Amino acid sequence: MRRTFFILTPLALFILAFFVNSGMCQDKPINLKLGHAVAVEHPYHLGAVKFAELVADRTKNKVKIDVYPSTQLGNERDMVEGLQLGTIDLVVTSTGPLGGFVPKMFVVDLPFLFKDRDHAYKVLDGPIGRDLLEAFFGKGIKGLAFWENGFRQITNNVRAIEKPEDLKGIKIRTMENKVHLASFKAFGASPTPMAWSEVYTALQQKTIDAQENPVAIIYHQKIFEVQKYLTLTGHFYSPTPLLMSLKTFNGLSKEVQKIFLDTAMECATYERNLLRDSEAKQIAEVKAKGMQVTTPNKKPFQDAAVSVYKEFEGQFGKETIDKIIATK
């Protein structure tokens, strides 16, 4: 019996490698887990579901993403640590826990840093935002894009807030974020860092008096059930990075990696628009549910925030802060 041997030429080897590395020879589907901390009605979740649908479509169902809402995979810090370990593949997270991984991320949390949403988008979708996302690389995490949580507002059960002095003695929950803590101290409140999963019960039991979050969170997490006053200060803008385990990302073909990056940016616009378009309606609905809504003069709060900029200038760099402020 004669055996026939085939010798592959260098060109043939190159072509074979191309097809293997491009994922075109991959038959077995890849199943990934994406976690976040909020309700299924929130744009976080709707954006994540849209992202999963588009990735599945664009990879011809070779990559399937299961979305786990409402801290099913743990609190935000736990999930970010899961990215490092490779036990979780993707996370949509607030910036709250991220300063513990990339300290300079907290620069975007400076009070009244962004004039409006469009200003924030130009910064975060441009070179400054890309530099912040790339800083996660050394921590075993791939930053895909900045989505949005929105401008943060204050709710409390003590009094309507018209000026910083009205916050005196009010115990307010903040994220585990030193810029937020310093800001509320400057405003005159008593800030208390707390995991989001504990906040509703703490408000209900009056362990804390207040919390601060964008309108969509206040609405979808039913904060109006346990808080009387909503104050539209817009004191912080909260971007929401979509992060991926670097181990998972590196295990994908170049073609699929590009699909993830492009789709993450496309879904950033989708998710942001959902938030923007629903906010006025949600404010009207929480009013109808009994919340007293006020819009104070921001200048006294901005004046109180000057000390926060001085405190963190050395860490974040005055040049970086000025560059963000000057972005057109």
Side-chain angles (χ1 to χ4, degrees), residues 111-112 114 164 187 233 297-307 309:
F112 305 105
F114 297 106
F187 296 155
T233 45
N297 178 5
K298 292 184 182 182
K299 189 165 189 315
F301 292 91
Q302 291 168 329
D303 291 343
V306 170
S307 63
Y309 279 72

Side-chain angles (χ1 to χ4, degrees), residues 119-271:
H119 178 207
Y121 301 161
K122 284 185 174 66
V123 171
L124 297 171
D125 296 344
I128 294 172
R130 184 52 48 191
D131 179 61
L132 289 171
L133 290 176
E134 286 176 357
F136 284 95
F137 187 87
K139 301 297 179 180
I141 296 169
K142 176 69 177 178
L144 299 182
F146 281 105
W147 292 8
E148 177 175 283
N149 199 359
F151 282 96
R152 302 179 78 88
Q153 322 294 351
I154 299 169
T155 71
N156 84 97
N157 257 338
V158 180
R159 64 180 76 93
I161 307 299
E162 298 289 349
K163 54 191 181 302
E165 289 79 8
D166 294 331
L167 284 165
K168 187 173 182 181
I170 289 181
K171 192 171 182 181
I172 184 167
R173 176 267 177 179
T174 70
M175 295 194 291
E176 298 172 56
N177 181 321
K178 59 186 178 181
V179 176
H180 286 200
L181 287 165
S183 298
F184 274 98
K185 285 177 184 174
F187 296 155
S190 300
T192 302
M194 183 182 292
W196 175 242
S197 57
E198 301 169 16
V199 173
Y200 187 94
T201 302
L203 291 169
Q204 196 173 40
Q205 296 176 348
K206 303 190 186 306
T207 308
I208 53 175
D209 306 307
Q211 66 86 51
E212 50 84 50
N213 256 302
V215 169
I217 295 284
I218 294 164
Y219 177 79
H220 288 299
Q221 302 296 134
K222 300 186 180 350
I223 298 300
F224 52 80
E225 293 179 344
V226 288
Q227 296 273 266
K228 184 175 181 180
Y229 303 100
L230 168 60
T231 308
L232 301 175
T233 45
H235 47 277
F236 307 126
Y237 173 80
S238 279
T240 301
L242 172 61
L243 304 175
M244 188 169 185
S245 167
L246 187 59
K247 180 180 177 183
T248 302
F249 185 80
N250 286 341
L252 302 174
S253 69
K254 297 294 183 187
E255 179 187 9
V256 174
Q257 287 177 357
K258 187 175 188 308
I259 288 171
F260 269 71
L261 291 166
D262 292 346
T263 306
M265 285 301 300
E266 182 179 332
C267 287
T269 300
Y270 173 80
E271 190 264 354

Side-chain angles (χ1 to χ4, degrees), residues 281-296:
K281 181 183 176 186
Q282 289 169 353
I283 290 171
E285 289 193 24
V286 299
K287 273 186 183 178
K289 292 178 184 298
M291 287 195 97
Q292 294 183 28
V293 182
T294 56
T295 305

